[in-house]
Amino acid sequence: MEIQHIILRHVKMELLEPFKTSVFTETHKEFILVEIQGKNGLSGWAESVASPEPYYKEETLKTNWHIMEDFLIPLLLQNPVSHPEQLKKLFEPIRGNTMAKAALEGAMWDLYARTLEQPLAKVLGGTKEKIDVGVSLGIKDSETELLKAVEKHCEEGYKRIKLKVKPGWDLDILKAVRKHFPDISLMADANSAYTLADTDRLKAFDEFNLTMIEQPLAYDDIIDHAKLQRQIETPLCLDESIYTVEDARHAIELGSCKIINIKIGRVGGLHESKLIHDLCKVHGVPVWCGGMLEAGVGRAHNVAITALDNFTLPGDTSASSRYFDADITDPAITVENGTITIPQTPGIGFEPNRKRIEERTYYSKLYKL
Ligand code: OSB
Ligand code: MG
């Protein structure tokens, strides 16, 4: 896998509607798009999921650019690898910065799969032909608006609805949604909006028959989550606090969660995602693929990893058309009856459209030896 050059692009796309969580509101999708061109002329692609602000995780678009340019890209250019799994070791001296690592690693996986002329999902060991997906609905201005959004996405066939919650936008809206949609698969994501002092409030979630509550407590906690899990029926799912397969092992051993949300960017790449997936499978812990409002390239990576068999719960990878008027891949990611078909073409299987990428690129830089 000899590298000809690496191009980083700062891409900005307007979101069709703002996305609001307990912590932040996003109106645009702004990210680094990585293209790694091999000496064989093929290009591998990936997105960094770091946003301009450190509201989800400490990494940002700018820290990612710095870490890639000054540390990871020099390592990649100076140390040829024959398989993307070798990158974990190569990048190990650089602490943390999982989103930056995942973006370069992901582009190397795409390049690797394209070189083998095989779909990325298959190269990763995925066996599914189709995957089930759900939607993540941000905090709305009113209950009526939320109910309309739930109805719309249920009608479209999405397999489960995730509601962003925070104190004050939780019990009432869950009650209303359950009343109108008694049978849908429903879950809540708090993005760390609660503490153990809210245990009674979180216990009250039990009556809504949620498939899980995602990351109710601190973004870096697994101790209090274990205490909380012992006191409530609803399974807890960890998102923010799992960065590595070791974190996953600690959380499972402590009983901090019964489900894990795998985000390729948060855990440092596809290889680490696979390791977490495999560990969870051994322990009977289901996983699902989270989302970071990705554009088409990132979405395509999510689709590929979800082809692995322990991704048994519907993920957050919904259709491109929910977020963008025109996505950067051909085709865009489409959902039919709550499912996405795994592409059979080489690599990520959704082709980056250079013209549309160019139109949305504010700055780019090429790196070579
Ligand atoms: O916590 O899962 C999250 C989006 C940005 C940052 C964090 C999260 C999310 C989502 C959206 O829930 C998932 C998506 O539609 O991509
Ligand atoms: Mg989450």
Side-chain angles (χ1 to χ4, degrees), residues 91-350:
F91 289 165
E92 212 160 56
I94 313 302
R95 299 286 160 90
N97 292 285
T98 50
M99 292 173 170
K101 289 174 182 172
L104 290 166
E105 193 244 23
M108 289 292 277
W109 274 104
D110 183 29
L111 175 59
Y112 180 70
R114 286 174 195 260
T115 304
L116 294 178
E117 295 181 7
Q118 290 193 10
L120 177 60
K122 189 170 167 219
V123 173
L124 290 168
T127 49
K128 299 180 199 167
E129 284 173 14
K130 284 178 169 194
I131 59 166
D132 286 348
V133 294
V135 285
S136 173
L137 300 181
I139 292 170
K140 307 285 183 197
D141 290 333
S142 70
E143 192 176 288
T144 316
E145 203 186 317
L146 178 68
L147 289 170
K148 268 194 204 141
V150 174
E151 181 173 25
K152 175 173 184 276
H153 292 100
C154 287
E155 274 169 8
E156 286 174 17
Y158 281 102
K159 303 285 185 192
R160 68 98 170 102
I161 304 287
K162 161 167 140 181
L163 304 180
K164 292 290 188 182
V165 294
K166 63 176 184 180
W169 181 266
D170 48 5
L171 299 174
D172 292 348
I173 57 119
L174 288 169
K175 191 170 190 165
V177 171
R178 254 302 169 239
K179 189 175 141 212
H180 288 87
F181 308 92
D183 302 321
I184 60 169
S185 170
L186 187 66
M187 60 171 288
D189 184 3
N191 293 102
S192 305
Y194 301 88
T195 70
L196 275 186
D198 301 305
T199 300
D200 286 343
R201 198 176 184 93
L202 292 162
K203 257 189 210 168
F205 282 43
D206 280 346
E207 73 174 278
F208 303 120
N209 188 26
L210 306 179
T211 48
M212 72 195 90
I213 305 174
E214 186 179 345
Q215 199 76 32
L217 307 179
Y219 70 90
D220 54 356
D221 168 79
I222 55 170
I223 307 286
D224 285 354
H225 278 97
K227 288 187 187 161
L228 177 64
Q229 182 67 89
R230 285 196 287 275
Q231 297 187 68
I232 68 173
E233 290 295 319
T234 309
L236 294 183
C237 168
L238 290 177
D239 172 356
E240 280 90 333
S241 45
I242 305 296
Y243 286 3
T244 64
V245 67
E246 284 300 287
D247 289 345
R249 182 175 64 77
H250 296 154
I252 292 168
E253 279 181 21
L254 276 173
S256 319
C257 64
K258 293 179 179 166
I259 297 169
I260 289 182
N261 164 340
I262 294 181
K263 289 183 182 168
I264 304 163
R266 194 193 70 233
V267 305
L270 288 163
H271 180 36
E272 198 74 14
S273 299
K274 269 200 331 164
L275 294 175
I276 296 173
H277 164 276
D278 295 350
L279 176 88
C280 287
K281 189 174 172 183
V282 170
H283 288 87
V285 172
V287 302
W288 55 280
C289 183
M292 292 291 288
L293 311 175
E294 290 90 343
V297 169
R299 233 160 257 281
H301 281 265
N302 290 344
V303 170
I305 193 72
T306 307
L308 272 63
D309 63 359
N310 194 39
F311 280 86
T312 51
L313 294 161
D316 272 346
T317 310
S318 42
S320 304
S321 59
R322 285 193 63 228
Y323 308 84
F324 312 108
D325 62 350
D327 206 340
I328 56 169
T329 56
D330 290 320
I333 284 70
T334 53
V335 174
E336 235 174 283
N337 246 315
T339 65
I340 298 176
T341 303
I342 306 279
Q344 294 304 313
T345 44
I348 55 173
F350 297 85

Side-chain angles (χ1 to χ4, degrees), residues 42-103:
L42 297 172
S43 281
W45 299 80
E47 292 174 21
S48 160
V49 295
S51 52
E53 312 87 4
Y55 297 150
Y56 168 79
K57 188 178 188 292
E58 65 277 20
E59 289 178 85
T60 68
L61 193 156
K62 280 190 185 174
T63 68
N64 266 213
W65 201 294
H66 157 57
I67 294 292
M68 289 192 212
E69 175 169 284
D70 296 335
F71 298 101
L72 301 174
I73 289 176
L75 277 174
L76 255 184
L77 292 175
Q78 286 158 23
N79 300 276
V81 295
S82 54
H83 192 283
E85 289 187 352
Q86 293 161 3
L87 294 177
K88 180 170 173 164
K89 190 108 205 105
L90 183 65
F91 289 165
E92 212 160 56
I94 313 302
R95 299 286 160 90
N97 292 285
T98 50
M99 292 173 170
K101 289 174 182 172

